[in-house]
């Protein structure tokens, strides 16, 4: 059988930075060519970055993408890569109208660049419109099955959601007798997504009756994190090659593929797809080369989530042009984990902490904040809020919750003042459990531009802290998080002897109910039927439902769960439905 050397370029594009993205395509294509690649593929919409959201509706942006694509084809020739076919994703336009949308409407496209020209274009067939995706808002679908004939092999092309839905281009690839199905992806991370992705790719390869190559992007874009995990499987679904997660990578693999046959007549394809063949030439290679990288080792659950938090934080800070971050350090577990993530993402030299003790701050919390700074090497200053607190309470009488929240708001004001003065980006330390039930202070501990653990339940916060310390020990390093920050009962320390369980159920119970109510969309009765205390469920559901206004005002943060607060959970603020 003919042999094809395929290169999957697992890269990190930046939304809107078209010139840089195109230069990165050239740089990685040069690397792939140097390794002997005969076909190179990049992720979904690599020219523009992904997702572009309402930028797709700006004609100037669509035009810039299309112009850059043509320019990229020329640049590849200038680099001596004219004979190397390169497949890239970009933002294009439809040639025909669709369901009331005019011709020229935006499309999520990919193109084949060869010999200085755009040899073929096609658009995504299945458009996702669930979770974090709104592609029906922007795009019209494509109706082709593009098939490249290259070195005696037929390669069918698809884009991301095309293989997440049944039928479509997967079935059509079988009907067209393709030897390889090449899929360009912008598939965001969530917990255990790598297992789901592998099972999907294996199943689709068997359904298509051919090998399947899946190239994904890495990096972060606002709330989304992309973990890469590009892979190739044979027609039986066996893994041939697999890239590491959360890092750019060139995945190179030699594939023995069935020789293309000259069809007696073009087959009729499923889903009304049109078969569009593109002849790229090249003599078949029967040398039986065996260039294959060992599949990258998999990360365990905590390592995977932690890497996603680091990647999301680094991308948000650096891609938005900030040089440093600022964190309020209480000595507690949440701010300690956020600090560890920030140091791993940016380096200790770019992480600044502020300890802001009040009359209720315990000495051990102050000591733990200082010890965290010593272990990680981050910058730390101490600014007591007692004088500010006394000035407020002298001007107006505050008691109870108002007095407690004033302390949090003074800390928030102080953080933002330092941010304005010194140019740091403030990181908010709230976790998903607290955000779910509204256990936070607006304009207090919720201030910030990014929330690294906003999609992490409290029980997982503890597991991640323990994992990060254990990982450091395994590498012969000092654990970054003080043990007392992990072992002591969580407390906001806004009144004497306060602990979180004064106001909330035990976190094990709370998170178990929240995962069912938030991610699982189970109603109150269904949760109670699983054996949970009805009074506890009623209380938790009520807290979640009445805290939507707070969540709407919280900054973005990396999505690591199947359903985070934000893009993929949209409930009205004004909402009188109380049955769960």
């Amino acid at each position: 059988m003919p042999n094809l050397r395929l290169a999957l370029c697992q890269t990190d594009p930046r939304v809107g930075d078209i010139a840089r993205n195109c230069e990165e395509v050239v740089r990685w294509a040069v690397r792939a060519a140097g390794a002997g690649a005969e076909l190179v593929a990049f992720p979904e919409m690599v020219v523009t970055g992904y997702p572009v959201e309402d930028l797709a509706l700006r004609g100037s942006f669509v035009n810039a993408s299309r112009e850059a694509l043509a320019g990229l084809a020329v640049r590849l020739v200038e680099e001596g890569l004219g004979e190397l076919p390169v497949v890239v994703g970009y933002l294009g336009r439809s040639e025909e109208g669709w369901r009331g949308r005019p011709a020229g409407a935006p499309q999520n496209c990919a193109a084949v660049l060869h010999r200085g020209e755009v040899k073929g274009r096609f658009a995504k067939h299945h458009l996702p419109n669930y979770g974090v995706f709104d592609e029906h808002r922007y795009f019209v679908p494509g109706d082709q099955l593009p098939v490249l004939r290259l070195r005696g092999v037929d390669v069918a092309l698809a884009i991301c959601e095309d293989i997440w839905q049944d039928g479509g281009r997967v079935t059509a690839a079988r009907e067209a007798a393709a030897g390889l199905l090449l899929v360009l992806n912008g598939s965001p991370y969530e917990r255990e997504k790598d297992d789901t992705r592998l099972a999907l790719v294996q199943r689709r390869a068997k359904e298509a009756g051919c090998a399947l190559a899946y190239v994904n992007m890495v990096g972060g874009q606002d709330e989304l994190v992309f973990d890469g995990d590009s892979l190739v499987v044979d027609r039986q679904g066996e893994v041939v090659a697999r890239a590491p997660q959360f890092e750019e990578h060139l995945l190179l693999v030699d594939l023995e593929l069935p020789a293309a046959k000259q069809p007696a007549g073009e087959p009729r394809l499923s889903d009304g797809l049109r078969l569009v063949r593109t002849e790229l030439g090249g003599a078949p290679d029967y040398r039986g080369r065996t260039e294959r990288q060992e599949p990258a080792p998999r990360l365990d659950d905590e390592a995977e989530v932690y890497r996603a938090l680091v990647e999301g934080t680094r991308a948000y800070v650096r891609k938005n042009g900030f040089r440093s971050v600022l964190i309020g350090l209480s000595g507690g577990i949440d701010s300690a984990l956020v600090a560890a993530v920030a140091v791993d993402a940016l380096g200790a030299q770019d992480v600044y902490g502020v300890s802001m003790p009040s009359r209720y701050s315990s000495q051990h919390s102050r000591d733990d904040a200082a010890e965290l700074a010593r272990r990680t090497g981050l910058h730390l200053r101490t600014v007591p809020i007692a004088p500010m607190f006394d000035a407020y309470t002298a001007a107006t009488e505050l008691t109870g919750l108002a007095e407690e929240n004033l302390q949090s708001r003074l800390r928030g004001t102080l953080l933002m003042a330092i941010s304005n003065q010194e140019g740091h980006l403030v990181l908010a330390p709230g976790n998903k459990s607290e955000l779910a039930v509204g256990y936070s202070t607006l304009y207090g501990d919720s201030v910030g531009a990014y929330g690294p653990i906003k999609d992490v339940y409290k029980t997982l916060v503890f597991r991640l802290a323990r994992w990060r310390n254990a990982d450091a020990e395994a590498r012969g390093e000092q654990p970054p998080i003080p043990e007392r920050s992990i072992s002591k009962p969580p407390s906001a320390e806004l009144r004497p002897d306060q602990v979180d369980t004064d106001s909330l159920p035990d976190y094990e119970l709370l998170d178990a109910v929240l995962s069912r109510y938030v991610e699982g969309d189970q109603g109150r009765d269904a949760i109670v039927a699983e054996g949970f205390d009805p009074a506890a469920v009623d209380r938790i559901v009520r807290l979640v439902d009445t805290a939507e206004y707070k969540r709407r005002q919280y900054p973005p943060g990396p999505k690591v769960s199947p359903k985070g607060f934000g893009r993929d959970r949209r409930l009205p603020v004004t909402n009188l439905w109380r049955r769960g």
Side-chain angles (χ1 to χ4, degrees):
M1 291 192 294
N3 184 287
L4 181 69
R5 179 165 290 184
L6 173 68
L8 303 182
C9 298
Q10 182 171 288
T11 61
D12 178 10
R14 298 186 178 191
V15 167
D17 198 348
I18 293 176
R20 176 195 176 278
N21 293 340
C22 288
E23 286 304 310
E24 284 295 286
V25 168
V26 172
R27 184 171 72 87
W28 283 87
V30 167
R31 282 189 58 188
E38 296 160 338
L39 177 63
V40 182
F42 287 84
E44 180 176 6
M45 294 186 75
V46 69
V47 169
T48 57
Y50 180 82
V52 296
E53 301 187 61
D54 277 15
L55 284 174
L57 305 178
R58 294 188 183 179
S60 61
F61 189 65
V62 181
N63 291 339
S65 171
R66 288 159 53 89
E67 292 166 6
L69 183 73
L72 180 57
V74 174
R75 280 279 290 116
L76 291 168
V77 171
E78 292 172 348
E79 292 293 333
L81 306 179
E83 295 302 314
L84 178 63
V86 177
V87 185
V88 298
Y90 74 104
L91 177 63
R93 291 191 185 280
S94 62
E95 296 181 358
E96 300 177 353
W98 181 79
R99 294 187 182 179
R101 304 278 292 277
Q107 285 187 307
N108 181 336
C109 293
V112 183
L113 309 182
H114 191 225
R115 296 176 180 169
E117 299 179 358
V118 180
K119 290 290 189 179
R121 308 170 188 253
F122 69 100
K124 197 175 192 174
H125 179 57
H126 287 300
L127 300 178
N129 213 55
Y130 55 85
V132 299
F133 303 106
D134 291 298
E135 295 205 7
H136 278 286
R137 172 181 171 89
Y138 310 114
F139 304 130
V140 299
D143 63 354
Q144 303 176 12
L145 175 71
V147 176
L148 312 178
R149 180 156 294 179
L150 171 65
R151 296 183 178 274
V153 172
D154 280 348
V155 181
L157 303 176
I159 302 175
C160 202
E161 190 72 11
D162 291 340
I163 69 167
W164 287 87
Q165 302 298 324
D166 292 335
R169 286 182 171 140
V170 174
T171 302
R174 175 184 283 276
E175 294 166 341
L180 172 67
L181 177 57
L182 174 60
V183 189
L184 281 59
N185 300 273
S187 179
Y189 169 79
E190 63 186 50
R191 290 179 65 186
E192 302 177 357
K193 182 73 168 283
D194 58 332
D195 298 329
T196 303
R197 182 183 292 134
L198 174 60
L200 172 76
V201 167
Q202 291 174 320
R203 184 169 73 253
R204 296 310 191 205
K206 295 174 185 177
E207 292 169 0
C210 64
L212 193 153
Y214 180 106
V215 58
N216 194 23
M217 63 179 62
V218 294
Q221 171 59 28
D222 297 341
E223 301 102 318
L224 301 184
V225 180
F226 298 93
D227 63 324
D229 193 30
S230 302
L231 69 153
V232 181
V233 301
D234 63 22
R235 62 183 300 169
Q236 286 80 36
E238 294 297 319
V239 175
V240 174
R242 195 168 188 181
Q245 293 172 276
F246 304 108
E247 60 185 76
E248 292 187 303
H249 186 77
L250 179 66
L251 188 63
L252 196 71
V253 59
D254 285 327
L255 296 171
E256 286 193 346
L257 301 172
K261 299 177 181 178
Q262 193 63 35
E266 294 297 8
R268 294 177 61 87
L269 301 182
S270 300
D271 275 16
L273 291 168
R274 297 183 294 112
L275 179 60
V276 178
R277 295 187 183 274
T278 301
E279 178 63 57
L280 297 179
D285 189 331
Y286 294 95
R287 286 179 293 173
R289 295 168 298 178
T290 57
E291 174 67 38
R292 290 189 179 181
Q293 302 171 12
E294 285 294 318
R298 300 294 89 197
L299 300 173
D300 62 32
D301 189 43
E302 283 80 13
E304 190 179 87
V305 173
Y306 190 86
R307 286 286 298 274
L309 302 181
V310 169
E311 186 64 37
T313 301
R314 178 189 298 119
Y316 192 86
V317 174
R318 296 304 189 209
K319 289 181 180 180
N320 282 294
F322 286 87
R323 62 176 178 80
S324 55
V325 296
L326 181 67
I327 309 166
L329 298 180
S330 67
I333 185 67
D334 293 328
S335 61
L337 180 61
V338 168
V341 166
V343 168
D344 288 338
L346 309 171
Q349 74 281 354
D350 290 332
V351 179
Y352 291 76
V354 187
S355 173
M356 297 169 283
S358 73
R359 70 180 66 171
Y360 302 120
S361 299
S362 63
Q363 186 60 49
H364 64 72
S365 289
R366 303 182 198 195
D367 293 344
D368 290 340
E371 177 63 11
L372 172 73
R374 186 192 69 79
R375 292 181 179 212
T376 60
L378 64 80
H379 307 275
L380 179 66
R381 74 190 81 177
T382 299
V383 182
I385 65 168
M388 294 174 258
F389 181 80
D390 291 343
Y392 266 87
T393 54
T396 184
E397 183 178 349
L398 298 173
T399 60
L401 189 61
E403 181 187 42
E404 294 178 24
N405 287 343
L406 173 61
Q407 298 168 67
S408 182
R409 291 190 174 110
L410 286 170
R411 292 180 173 121
T413 300
L414 183 57
L415 286 169
M416 293 310 302
I418 296 172
S419 169
N420 290 162
Q421 180 69 29
E422 300 177 5
H424 311 299
L425 182 143
V426 177
L427 298 182
N431 62 67
K432 190 171 187 176
S433 305
E434 295 172 352
L435 294 180
V437 296
Y439 191 61
S440 63
T441 303
L442 280 180
Y443 326 118
D445 56 339
S446 64
V447 302
Y450 197 70
I453 61 171
K454 73 169 289 187
D455 199 28
V456 180
Y457 285 123
K458 188 77 168 192
T459 49
L460 181 55
V461 167
F462 282 104
R463 295 207 309 273
L464 292 176
R466 294 188 183 99
W467 174 86
R468 181 62 184 87
N469 279 1
D471 181 66
E473 289 179 338
R475 290 186 280 117
E477 301 171 358
Q478 184 172 45
I481 299 175
E483 178 57 35
R484 191 162 52 189
S485 292
I486 300 174
S487 61
K488 65 187 177 186
S491 171
E493 292 193 332
L494 299 176
R495 62 176 184 265
D497 302 319
Q498 181 184 22
V499 292
D500 287 2
T501 49
D502 294 340
S503 305
L504 298 175
D506 176 80
Y507 280 115
E508 292 287 348
L509 170 62
L510 177 62
D511 290 354
V513 173
L514 289 175
S515 66
R516 288 162 173 80
Y517 190 57
V518 174
E519 275 113 31
D521 278 323
Q522 293 181 232
R524 178 264 186 198
D525 293 343
I527 298 172
V528 170
E530 291 191 35
F532 290 93
D533 175 60
V537 173
D538 288 339
R539 181 186 177 202
I540 293 168
V541 166
R542 178 180 56 80
L543 289 171
V544 173
D545 289 349
T546 56
E548 185 65 31
Y549 76 101
K550 285 188 175 183
R551 291 190 291 271
R552 289 287 185 95
Q553 299 179 66
Y554 203 80
K559 170 181 155 62
V560 297
S561 74
K563 182 175 290 185
F565 292 126
R567 294 170 66 102
D568 53 345
R569 188 178 188 271
R570 308 174 196 182
L571 292 172
V573 173
T574 305
N575 172 22
L576 303 183
W577 180 256
R578 291 291 179 266
R579 295 189 188 178

